[in-house]
Amino acid sequence: MRKPNTPVIGLEIHVQMKTGSKLFCACSTDYIGAVPNTNVCPVCLGLPGTLPVVNRKAVEYAVRTGLALGSRIGLSTRFHRKNYFYPDLPKAYQISQYDVPLAVGGHLPIGEEQDRKWIRITRLHLEEDAGKLVHSARDGRLGNSEYSLVDYNRGGVPLMEIVSEPELATPSEARDFVSRLRQLVRFLGVSDGDMEKGSLRVDANISLTGPDGELGTKVEVKNMNSLRALERALEYEIARQQECLGRGERILQETRHWDDGKGVTCGTRGKEEAHDYRYFPDPDLPPLVLSRDFVEEQRRLLPELPWDLKERFVREHRLSIEDASVLTELPGIAKYYEKCIREGANPLRAANWIRTEVMRVLNEKRISIEAFALSPEKFCGLLARIETGAVSTTLAKELFEKMVDENLSVDEALKKAGSPSGKVTGDDLRKMVNLVLERERLTVEEIQTGKDAKGKKRSFLCGLVMRESKGQADPGEVRKILAEILDR
Amino acid sequence: MPIGKDEILRIARLGRLFVSEEEVGPLQRHLNGILEHFERLKRLDLEGIDPFALEEEATGFLREDAVSAWAGREEVLQQAPNREGDFFRVPRILEENEEEVSPDERR
């Protein structure tokens, strides 16, 4: 039983799948930046006499996603025509699935540990994307344009529509749900999940419960192009509906568009004639019949799911939930981290360095981890030197910069950092060593009384001198001077 | 339930078909005939019959995910009623539930 005046949110998410060709024809799906109307053919232009043929990979990807969500996969499903007139749809219908979707049920976890909530999935189905309209008005707004231009490159790109049960209670839960789903499709390798580019699009249904906790009239909100926009739009819409009800008005069942610049949702003015899509089974397509082997093959291809991986990182590597979340946000980062662990890196140090230094470089260069030149092996070479104290953190950061640019090993970077003799040398360096030893009298005493069997304290001092020299000394020379003084 | 005149006009509007006054009557009779036939089908006892019973394994109809370009796009663009460069040009669009915006509302 819900309390009165509680938001009830359900989401419909369209995910573009990363296939090479479209859902029903061999045209390329690579439409971003392409010359308009180049990835088109008689099938996706809806020319008479053409027949659609289903792309196997799109079915595989959708089945894989359904399995990851714990949905029941329908072995015999069908395609329907959803009829409506709009120039982005050359056939005047969209091929979609209606009464028998590819997958039914399932759930996606949101929140952490004790706050973990499993949001149920209603369904997942396959459908084709529409073309793109460019409006000719100077402000690009539909209502002000004289005419529109159509590009069908996107028309027919495979989509899966994933519908959640209305079980999300706050805008931040909705945001969490979308971000978990985005993470999932990236781990499954079925979509790039990029909201800005439109490869993951979210529509939200939202209502407020009435005085007795009963469901209120729902409003559909569209046009949110980022997680932040989704959260803001829902916050705005909840406040708007509460105000409306507070004034004793009724909520209109309608579709509202989020205007990110103004921070408001706008209704489409005028008559709200319910859409009548006149769904009927597409006679051009036979039922989609899948064998159990086909489904089991997809189950075998499932990777470790991101929420399981995150829990394992916390358990096995003693990471904080926050560290584990950052490291498992993208599959490439998680893989890089795991390679470092296999190379013997200290799990916490590796996590810290990837979170801060590696991710900073990725951001600055605007590249993904896959394009990151420094191999985990060489990266771990650096971490190992920090671990033993042979290299100070300050020096390590400088070396890291050099290593990243040319995929250098630590030694190569050290050579590059200055000639082996370094810039601080001779008497200057001796002065610096004495200065450090002055500050670390206790350590010196321990070393001299034989409490440094493993040489760790000596390495520690060496690291301090290196830091003092801002990496401009030669570690070999530092060790030599240290030995001269300490073993005197 | 027989289809009335309003239903005929609504279906025509959804399909963007122009239907004259004289055509409504014959269309109404025609469509009602089809519906009566389906009513007869509905009365058949189909208890226990799998709706997919006559359908065969269709996995053979899945296409491998291979890209190939089509060379005819220029021809199609040329035959479009209106083109602008690489685009198809279409009249200004208003959705069914949108109304014309008056000039002073346009800001």
Side-chain angles (χ1 to χ4, degrees), chain A residues 419-438:
Chain A
S419 56
S421 59
K423 282 174 194 157
V424 182
T425 177
D427 284 344
D428 291 341
L429 184 57
R430 193 172 291 271
K431 258 184 229 159
M432 206 174 268
V433 172
N434 278 320
L435 201 76
V436 169
L437 295 184
E438 193 70 16

Side-chain angles (χ1 to χ4, degrees), chain A residues 202-476:
Chain A
V202 182
D203 299 336
N205 282 303
I206 173 160
S207 64
L208 298 176
T209 51
D212 300 316
E214 76 279 12
L215 288 180
T217 308
K218 71 178 179 190
V219 169
E220 185 178 19
V221 189
K222 288 177 176 280
N223 197 38
M224 290 89 63
N225 298 323
S226 66
L227 291 175
R228 181 85 196 102
L230 169 69
E231 206 174 359
R232 286 176 67 209
L234 288 173
E235 275 161 8
Y236 175 86
E237 190 53 27
I238 290 168
R240 186 191 71 86
Q241 291 188 19
Q242 276 167 345
E243 245 170 67
C244 245
L245 293 170
R247 285 195 302 265
E249 290 170 21
R250 280 180 46 211
I251 303 291
L252 206 63
Q253 177 161 357
E254 60 177 346
T255 299
R256 298 179 69 87
H257 286 260
W258 170 247
D259 184 330
D260 205 54
K262 290 186 187 145
V264 297
T265 62
C266 307
T268 40
R269 68 191 81 216
K271 305 179 286 275
E272 264 294 320
E273 190 181 349
H275 276 290
D276 184 346
Y277 294 123
R278 293 154 294 145
Y279 279 100
F280 65 89
D282 192 326
D284 285 346
L285 283 158
L288 182 63
V289 178
L290 305 176
S291 67
R292 288 196 188 279
D293 286 349
F294 181 96
V295 176
E296 287 315 308
E297 178 60 23
Q298 293 314 306
R299 198 189 301 279
R300 274 193 291 278
L301 290 171
L302 285 181
E304 185 174 15
L305 298 179
W307 44 90
D308 294 335
L309 184 66
K310 179 160 79 180
E311 280 180 4
R312 187 162 66 76
F313 278 6
V314 171
R315 204 174 54 238
E316 285 181 5
H317 306 317
R318 310 237 158 247
L319 299 187
S320 66
I321 288 180
E322 205 204 329
D323 277 347
S325 301
V326 175
L327 293 177
T328 55
E329 186 55 40
L330 292 166
I333 302 271
K335 277 192 198 111
Y336 196 90
Y337 177 68
E338 291 219 282
K339 276 186 195 149
C340 291
I341 300 296
R342 278 199 294 277
E343 288 291 316
N346 172 326
L348 281 180
R349 193 180 301 281
N352 272 331
W353 269 75
I354 292 175
R355 275 197 68 172
T356 52
E357 298 305 306
V358 174
M359 289 175 96
R360 176 182 56 77
V361 170
L362 298 182
N363 274 334
E364 281 169 8
K365 299 189 178 219
R366 297 175 172 280
I367 53 169
S368 67
I369 188 88
E370 284 77 12
F372 186 59
L374 186 61
S375 69
E377 293 75 21
K378 288 179 180 169
F379 176 58
C380 287
L382 178 66
L383 296 183
R385 297 290 174 93
I386 307 170
E387 207 65 37
T388 60
V391 164
S392 71
T393 312
T394 319
L395 174 61
K397 286 185 180 167
E398 281 174 40
L399 293 175
F400 177 72
E401 296 301 318
K402 294 192 169 62
M403 291 164 71
V404 161
D405 286 337
E406 296 160 66
N407 187 23
L408 299 180
S409 69
V410 192
D411 290 323
E412 288 165 333
L414 273 168
K415 242 177 240 161
K416 260 209 150 140
S419 56
S421 59
K423 282 174 194 157
V424 182
T425 177
D427 284 344
D428 291 341
L429 184 57
R430 193 172 291 271
K431 258 184 229 159
M432 206 174 268
V433 172
N434 278 320
L435 201 76
V436 169
L437 295 184
E438 193 70 16
R439 285 201 303 251
E440 298 291 331
R441 261 182 237 148
L442 214 71
T443 316
V444 171
E445 213 181 292
E446 285 172 339
I447 294 172
Q448 288 176 332
T449 53
K451 286 181 188 154
D452 188 30
K454 288 181 188 160
K456 277 197 174 173
K457 295 193 168 82
R458 208 173 274 255
S459 295
F460 169 69
L461 291 178
C462 179
L464 288 180
V465 176
M466 289 306 294
R467 183 199 290 173
E468 191 69 31
S469 75
K470 297 193 167 58
Q472 298 302 300
D474 166 39

